[in-house]
Amino acid sequence: MPSLNLAIARLVHTGTENFAIWVVNAPYPSGYVLHDCLWSEELNQAWIEWQQMFAGHSRLDISPKNKSKKSVPLQLNSLSPTSGKKTSYSSRLMQYMGVNLWRWVFEGEILGSLERSRGIAMGQHTRLRFRLEIREPDLIALPWEIMQREPGQPAMSLSQHLLFSRTTSQVEPLSSSRTDRALNILLVLGEDENLQLEEEASILQQTLSGGNSYSSSSAGYAPCFVNTLVKPTPQQLISELETKAYNVFFYAGHGLPGPDGGFLFIQKDMTFNGMELAQALTRSNVTLAVFNACWGAQPFSDQNKAIAHSSLAEVLIRQGVPAVLGMRDEITDEESHTFIQAFALALRTRKPIDEAVAEGRKRLLTIYHFNQPAWTLPVLYLHPHFDGELLKSFEEGATEIPTTFIPGSANVSLRSLQVGGRSYLLKPGVTRIGRTKENDIVIREPSVSKRHAEILRRNNLNGDIQVQTYYLQDLSTYGTTWVLRSGGWEQIYRREVPLESGMHLKFGSTKSQTWEFRIEN
């Protein structure tokens, strides 16, 4: 699936209102464009009013020097439809915020990059995967999911043509590259004086599993298993995670924001901070972490200023967790149950995580309407090297067998074709390729990413014979993995391609050394 990644950062030494917006990943070479802009007083005033109307957290300031300025009345009616029908102030404010955030981000060449990227996706009969990286802490709490091009058009996070998520940079390698046949959920209920925990556990278990803890795969649904821990000790929680039986971690309960990802109150006097949880989740190969708490995607603030990389979602992603779903602000129990039911159902139909979040968001919009903040609250973070796939069907795996496969055992290697180049035997499961020493094949070239690519071996049955098939997965920052086809060198762009013996590969620049994939029975 083609991907477009944008980054937003405050420009240093140029004034507090100066920002840069640029493309860090695009599905075509000339899509990497840059735009500098000012944070306007109108957007600042809209954010202040948004917080007064919708936010349950303390005020967060973006532009401190604007405090001394007289507030500017917002022209909310300028965007309203001319149908003559009166709309509420909250609806007009939400629309004004969404349209003006869009106009601020997608100006000049940035819009051109988005439109061409979306055209490429449509040409491939798929959707564009859009990921937003907010590197300025003071902008994290804004509702970027509501961006819309014009009144009457859907918000980006509701679009039929793209899948919206957030991401962050400076990440550790992915803790898990697993794709499973079933949802295996560890449901943890922590201390919360507002909840009847046993009753809440029963509701959430039925919501997540569609009514049964064990559910068959009839009607195309993947099976789902939910195991519940109510107010566990840290040792009990870690021990259960270390069984590595779970691909989804789900937490409901009380928590507080903090500089290291906040605190989970798993018992009244026992907390688990974000860094501790990140280590436990990465060791246990959990793919998706979901937090039914009001602060999971909210940064910690000090004197109305957000602290960098302090939200629980960011901390977990930076430590290598593939996907984290949290709430940007307060959400009611009824709203969260509605969202979770639609989200879990979409996952069980084997939809990617970002598509499942969109399904849950649409369900909230249908029930609680546009002018209510419920549909804007779920915030999804995806690791920049994760494709969003949690479950894979048997049928899908069977259709991916390359035209040449290897019955039985074989010696499979990657050999450098430069003079004196080395040859590496591939590992039975995943062979990691990159610039740093933790990779299985280390290529110390400047154009090679820290974690650049993987070669995966899958075992399939062809009748009664087990066959081994190999695939090359690009994970590089700019999609610079190459395979030699009949028409020349082809760039992979963060997708997965089948490998055949004798294929030539390059990692990084097209001027880098050439590697040969070899199979010797």
Side-chain angles (χ1 to χ4, degrees), residues 76-88:
L76 299 185
N77 291 325
S78 63
L79 296 176
S80 299
T82 57
S83 62
K85 183 179 179 180
K86 290 186 177 181
T87 56
S88 66

Side-chain angles (χ1 to χ4, degrees), residues 44-68 137-139 141-142 298-307 329:
N44 197 67
Q45 184 63 29
W47 175 228
I48 291 171
E49 295 197 24
W50 175 283
Q51 292 180 95
Q52 291 172 345
M53 173 158 287
F54 296 123
H57 58 75
S58 58
R59 190 186 78 251
L60 293 170
D61 295 328
I62 296 173
S63 185
K65 72 177 186 179
N66 280 334
K67 290 181 180 179
S68 60
D138 292 332
L139 298 182
L142 268 77
Q298 190 70 241
F300 178 69
S301 62
D302 182 27
Q303 297 181 348
N304 304 121
K305 302 297 291 181
I307 305 301
D329 212 323

Side-chain angles (χ1 to χ4, degrees), residues 219-255:
Y221 291 103
C224 179
F225 168 70
V226 182
N227 185 30
T228 304
L229 297 178
V230 177
K231 295 200 293 186
T233 65
Q235 293 76 17
Q236 289 172 330
L237 175 56
I238 291 173
S239 295
E240 190 62 38
L241 283 171
E242 287 182 343
T243 64
K244 298 187 177 181
Y246 305 99
N247 51 15
V248 179
F249 173 84
F250 189 103
Y251 175 82
H254 181 54

Side-chain angles (χ1 to χ4, degrees), residues 110-145:
I110 302 291
L111 178 58
S113 186
L114 172 67
E115 290 181 333
R116 184 169 177 185
S117 298
R118 196 154 60 179
I120 290 172
M122 292 175 67
Q124 297 178 10
H125 305 288
T126 187
R127 284 180 284 189
L128 178 69
R129 179 161 274 141
F130 179 84
R131 294 182 179 177
L132 185 64
E133 180 182 356
I134 307 297
R135 298 186 182 181
E136 168 52 47
D138 292 332
L139 298 182
I140 294 279
L142 268 77
W144 298 100
E145 287 71 15

Side-chain angles (χ1 to χ4, degrees), residues 288-338:
L288 169 64
V290 181
F291 296 92
N292 187 28
C294 300
W295 50 272
Q298 190 70 241
F300 178 69
S301 62
D302 182 27
Q303 297 181 348
N304 304 121
K305 302 297 291 181
I307 305 301
H309 312 307
S310 61
S311 75
L312 178 61
E314 285 188 283
V315 166
L316 297 186
I317 292 292
R318 285 166 63 87
Q319 293 299 313
V321 177
V324 182
L325 176 63
M327 299 300 163
R328 184 177 48 77
D329 212 323
E330 294 179 349
I331 188 167
T332 67
D333 292 340
E334 293 79 11
E335 291 167 347
S336 68
H337 293 160
T338 298

Side-chain angles (χ1 to χ4, degrees), residues 172-176 277-279 281-282 286-289 315-324 381-383 386:
E172 294 296 318
L174 281 173
S175 65
S176 172
L277 180 60
Q279 294 170 16
L281 294 179
T282 54
V286 166
T287 302
L288 169 64
V315 166
L316 297 186
I317 292 292
R318 285 166 63 87
Q319 293 299 313
V321 177
V324 182
Y381 276 82
L382 293 180
H383 191 286
F386 179 53

Side-chain angles (χ1 to χ4, degrees), residues 1 25-29 32 474 478-481 491-495:
M1 185 179 293
N25 182 55
Y28 65 102
Y32 297 86
D474 173 66
Y478 300 111
T480 51
T481 301
Q491 195 170 359
I492 292 181
Y493 285 127
R494 293 200 182 182
R495 54 191 170 91

